[in-house]
Amino acid sequence: MNAVTPAGRPGPPTRALVVWCPDWPVTAAEIIDGVPATGPVAVLHANRVVACSAAARADGVHPGLRRREAQSRCPGLTVLDHDPARDARAFEPVVAAIEQVVAGVEVHRPGACAVAARGPARYFGGEEAAAEQIVEHVAQVCEVESQVGVADGFFAAGLAARTGRIVPPGDSRTFLAGLPLRVLGRPDLAGLLRRLGLRTLGDFAALPARDVLARFGPDAALAHRLADGRDEQPFTPRQPPPELSVTADYDEPLDRVDAAAFAARALAEQLHDQLSGHGLACTRVGIEAVTAHGQELHRVWRHDGMLTAAAITDRLRWQLDGWLTGAAARRPGAGDAASPPPPTAGIVRLRLVPDGVLARVALQPGLWGEIGAEDARARRALTRVQGLLGPDAVVTAVLGGGRSPVDQVRLVPWGDERAPSRPGQPPWPGRLPPPAPAVVLPAPLPAEVYDAAGEPVTVSARLVVSAAPARLAVGTGPAVDVTGWAGPWPLDERWWAPAEARRRARFQVALADGSALLIARTDGRWVVEAVYD
């Protein structure tokens, strides 16, 4: 953030204005998860406190404490896991509110952002007036407490924000000199410097820069420049995300499918053209509608490829058809709380929100047109059924983790992401070896297994088979000779919960009639779980 003089030498750091929200991980948990920040709350990462509320600090909890020590000091402490995604998600509205007041905001981390102070100071008539405007606007729009610090350089301004201080130009070095070494955010370096007798940033800045680089390395040399007030971090303001949604209002309510379909085409083409102008493609689109009676309807459509203008039009038309006329086509019992009631009046507002976008280059169609006409017709038919009956009316099977064949398949709504539940992970321990069975029975069939002497075959608690299986009878059918078998593969699941515990020994058997079965010994009986080709 240093300016450059005509001679090419770094000039004084740029005046920076930093907005800091105290205890942001705690505030974010209140915004997203509803955890009251007024009580004793601590956010932990790697079993150590990284942030805590004011009530927790009053009981002696502070960042750096181990979990057990924090709970011993404050028995009523609410402990939360550190979630950077939650912090960033909650901070986005705060950044958007700041951008309504000043331009060129740079997000440093969730809870702290910066802007060059010159523009806001000139617009509002001074740095102090700019700081007051930002704090007041964030409080009114987001109901979030914030503090502003202004100094030469981002590092000094960030520390000044902790106390809401405006450091006069040229005084940042003096301001930093009396601060403790821990504000550098480098615990190992701070501990080493303390052992050498250094206590403040001023003590560290007094060391020769060449000796710091030779003795402690490049990162310490950077910290030395920060301690000396020579903040050379480049300022990269955030580009506000473009507003990509499109909205249309109608004077005459849309209560017929043909009129709604005509309106859908124009709105879908508008959304597609707007996305194309930004070099983006839509993979998920949210459809929102408001009726003349104020009823709000919402549905998200997902697609595993690029949504063209025609594809968006189809989905919008099908959804409107489902809302306007699909109530009569609903399955019995489908009108539960999870499905919105049919509209009681015509639609007066439509809004399309691109819920998932990415660069168009990532979704180019194949050179030879991998998706044929039959596939396209099938997709259109299935998505139309979803428009009438809801997204859960059409499901597709996805392979995932699990130790038994019945556990390795999950059903997801058509158009949702079909990625495996454990992509790139090693196989589950205790999982059956290939090949996979062709048919998994919805309910296991009872069976009996006998040895060569006609005695029932058993399996002990130590997985010892009493005798080699010789004949197998399924249900009330006749016994068939066993020509080959493999196993047992033991399975002992959820042993820590007696009510949910499940213990089995599984076998693969080949029979004389040409069939192959997956059988299991569980609860003292034999069952058939699956059939192989």
Side-chain angles (χ1 to χ4, degrees):
M1 285 178 59
N2 284 21
V4 178
T5 64
R9 296 185 302 273
T14 303
R15 294 286 288 176
L17 184 151
V18 172
V19 182
W20 176 70
C21 299
D23 308 325
W24 182 252
V26 177
T27 304
E30 181 179 37
I31 295 173
I32 301 297
D33 300 330
V35 180
T38 54
V41 180
V43 178
L44 274 70
H45 177 64
N47 207 38
R48 288 187 180 274
V49 177
V50 295
C52 58
S53 63
R57 283 194 298 273
D59 289 339
V61 180
H62 58 79
L65 280 183
R66 292 188 177 274
R67 179 188 186 119
R68 181 172 297 180
E69 176 66 18
Q71 290 177 325
S72 66
R73 295 187 181 189
C74 181
L77 185 67
T78 300
V79 177
L80 304 174
D81 291 332
H82 181 46
D83 187 351
R86 177 186 61 202
D87 298 347
R89 196 162 59 248
F91 192 56
E92 176 61 27
V94 178
V95 178
I98 296 173
E99 286 178 334
Q100 295 174 358
V101 181
V102 297
V105 178
E106 173 187 304
V107 179
H108 178 58
R109 65 178 182 277
C113 58
V115 64
R118 180 181 178 183
R122 295 181 64 179
Y123 183 81
F124 291 107
E127 295 173 344
E128 184 175 354
E132 292 176 354
Q133 286 286 340
I134 293 173
V135 170
E136 182 179 358
H137 187 73
V138 170
Q140 290 179 351
V141 174
C142 303
E143 299 182 356
V144 169
E145 177 187 357
S146 62
Q147 297 178 185
V148 171
V150 183
D152 298 336
F154 177 82
F155 177 70
L159 296 177
R162 301 299 180 98
T163 56
R165 179 174 176 180
I166 297 178
V167 181
D171 288 354
S172 292
R173 189 174 183 180
T174 304
F175 164 70
L176 293 172
L179 298 179
L181 293 170
R182 57 179 173 80
V183 300
L184 288 172
R186 295 165 171 83
D188 295 338
L189 176 63
L192 177 59
L193 295 177
R194 281 195 296 269
R195 290 193 295 272
L196 295 176
L198 306 180
R199 295 290 181 268
T200 64
L201 295 185
D203 297 338
F204 184 36
L207 298 178
R210 181 181 304 175
D211 295 344
V212 171
L213 176 61
R215 174 63 179 82
F216 303 111
D219 185 67
L222 172 61
H224 182 263
R225 289 194 296 270
L226 297 178
D228 196 33
R230 294 180 286 120
D231 190 346
E232 299 177 5
Q233 179 181 358
F235 194 80
T236 55
R238 181 185 94 129
Q239 294 296 328
E243 178 58 43
L244 299 177
S245 61
V246 294
T247 306
D249 296 317
Y250 308 100
D251 295 332
E252 293 293 332
L254 303 176
D255 52 8
R256 301 194 323 271
V257 176
D258 55 348
F262 180 79
R265 180 176 180 179
L267 195 62
E269 290 179 350
Q270 181 183 351
L271 175 63
H272 184 266
D273 293 342
Q274 182 165 301
L275 290 173
S276 299
H278 292 281
L280 301 174
C282 182
T283 60
R284 296 191 308 272
V285 59
I287 302 174
E288 301 176 358
V290 179
T291 69
H293 291 170
Q295 182 183 6
E296 297 182 359
L297 305 172
H298 177 73
R299 179 66 55 81
V300 175
W301 286 80
R302 294 173 172 84
H303 186 55
D304 56 1
M306 180 175 59
L307 282 171
T308 63
I312 298 175
T313 301
D314 287 342
R315 283 153 179 77
L316 179 53
R317 185 177 71 250
W318 296 333
Q319 187 58 61
L320 293 174
D321 189 6
W323 280 334
L324 295 175
T325 64
R330 296 188 180 210
R331 294 170 297 172
D336 52 12
S339 301
T344 57
I347 294 174
V348 297
R349 173 176 294 177
L350 280 176
R351 185 168 183 253
L352 295 181
V353 181
D355 188 47
V357 295
L358 66 160
R360 289 178 62 88
V361 68
L363 288 175
Q364 292 295 331
L367 180 62
W368 308 112
E370 291 86 346
I371 299 178
E374 295 79 6
D375 292 336
R377 285 196 297 269
R379 291 172 183 271
R380 289 166 64 89
L382 294 176
T383 49
R384 184 165 189 179
V385 171
Q386 284 185 314
L388 294 172
L389 303 180
D392 295 331
V394 182
V395 295
T396 181
V398 178
L399 291 177
R403 298 179 177 86
S404 297
V406 70
D407 301 326
Q408 295 170 16
V409 178
R410 59 189 177 94
L411 299 177
V412 299
W414 173 261
D416 281 13
E417 184 180 2
R418 301 184 70 254
S421 58
R422 287 168 54 92
Q425 297 295 324
W428 284 56
R431 188 171 186 171
L432 285 173
V439 178
V440 178
L441 302 177
L445 298 177
E448 296 293 340
V449 180
Y450 305 97
D451 60 14
E455 296 295 328
V457 176
T458 60
V459 181
S460 69
R462 295 181 177 272
L463 300 176
V464 177
V465 183
S466 62
R471 295 175 64 81
L472 183 145
V474 180
T476 58
V480 181
D481 291 341
V482 176
T483 59
W485 63 282
W489 288 281
L491 188 62
D492 191 1
E493 295 181 307
R494 304 191 65 83
W495 48 266
W496 58 88
E500 304 174 6
R502 185 170 57 169
R503 198 167 190 267
R504 290 177 292 167
R506 297 160 295 168
F507 297 78
Q508 293 170 331
V509 296
L511 303 180
D513 60 4
S515 61
L517 306 176
L518 174 65
I519 63 175
R521 179 76 173 180
T522 177
D523 296 330
R525 59 189 181 92
W526 289 96
V527 294
V528 178
E529 294 186 338
V531 181
Y532 292 90
D533 280 342

